[in-house]
Amino acid sequence: VLFQNIAKKKFALFVGGAFYANQKGIAWFVKHVVPNIDIQIYIVGKGFEKFKYNLNIKGKVEVIGEVENLSEWYLKAHFVIAPIFYGSGMKTKIAEAMMFGKKIIGTPEAFSGYEDVIDQLGWLCSTSGDFIKAIDHAKDSIKNSFEPSIRAIYEKKYSYQAACSRFGEILME
C-alpha cells in the first residue's frame, strides 16, 4: 500500500499492537460500528497484519499492520479511534494522539487517566450508537486535523518535559 495514495482522502486511524485488548476492541468496532459509518478506517500496529483476512472490509477498513513511520499516519489522519474495553492504566496511544493534536473518539477504558480532559480531546463512547454518532459528527465538524489546543494539553500535562517537571516538584517537597 502506498501511503501517498492513502493520505489523499479523509480517514480515521486506529493505532495499537496486536495484543488481546486491541484485537477485541477493533474487532468489536469493525463488526458493530463500521457498517454504519462512512469514513475509511486504517488499522496500524505491529502484529495486526495477521488479522487482515478477519478485519479488512473493501472500501471501509484496511489493516496496514506494522509501519516504519507512525508519525506520517498520525499527521494525515482526520481523527483517531480508540475502542478499548480492557486493560489497566493510562493508554499510551491516547497521549500519542494528543502529541499529534488529534481529536479522539474512545471508550471510558481508553480515556482512563485522562478523565479531566476528555471533553477537550474528543468524544467518550460506550456503545456502538455512541461511536456512530461521534464519528458522523467528527468527520464533518473537524475542519483542521491538527488541533493546537490538544497539543497544548499534551505538552502541559503528558509530555516528557511535563513529567520531568512533576518529578522535580515531588523531589523538592
Side-chain angles (χ1 to χ4, degrees):
V1 177
L2 287 176
F3 181 77
Q4 292 75 9
N5 296 340
I6 290 170
K8 290 180 180 161
K9 57 184 176 176
K10 225 182 249 191
F11 67 90
L13 180 65
F14 175 84
V15 175
F19 84 107
Y20 84 98
N22 288 337
Q23 289 174 33
K24 291 214 180 281
I26 199 63
W28 173 88
F29 183 87
V30 167
K31 182 178 181 181
H32 297 285
V33 178
V34 167
N36 302 296
I37 60 173
D38 186 27
I39 189 169
Q40 179 73 38
I41 307 293
Y42 288 103
I43 301 169
V44 175
K46 187 175 183 172
F48 263 107
E49 45 283 322
K50 293 181 275 189
F51 299 96
K52 284 185 179 193
Y53 179 78
N54 297 340
L55 297 172
N56 275 355
I57 298 175
K58 189 163 179 62
K60 286 193 161 241
V61 179
E62 187 170 348
V63 176
I64 304 299
E66 187 172 2
V67 296
E68 201 171 294
N69 184 356
L70 196 52
S71 298
E72 61 188 2
W73 286 92
Y74 272 117
L75 290 169
K76 297 290 184 183
H78 197 56
F79 56 85
V80 171
I81 58 166
I84 306 300
F85 298 97
Y86 309 100
S88 61
M90 296 175 78
K91 308 303 177 274
T92 308
K93 69 180 86 224
I94 300 300
E96 199 169 55
M98 292 171 65
M99 182 175 74
F100 285 96
K102 295 298 169 187
K103 287 280 192 179
I104 305 160
I105 300 173
T107 59
E109 181 59 43
F111 284 120
S112 179
Y114 301 95
E115 291 85 1
D116 59 330
V117 293
I118 291 173
D119 292 345
Q120 295 150 47
L121 299 182
W123 296 267
L124 183 63
C125 302
S126 296
T127 66
S128 58
D130 293 344
F131 270 98
I132 293 162
K133 186 176 172 187
I135 289 168
D136 283 344
H137 181 73
K139 71 179 181 142
D140 297 326
S141 69
I142 297 172
K143 301 300 180 208
N144 184 353
S145 65
F146 175 78
E147 183 60 55
S149 64
I150 292 175
R151 172 66 187 208
I153 293 168
Y154 166 78
E155 288 175 350
K156 181 179 179 188
K157 297 183 78 163
Y158 305 105
S159 68
Y160 177 74
Q161 291 80 5
C164 288
S165 178
R166 269 197 308 281
F167 284 131
E169 289 170 15
I170 291 167
L171 293 173
M172 296 303 282
E173 287 179 1

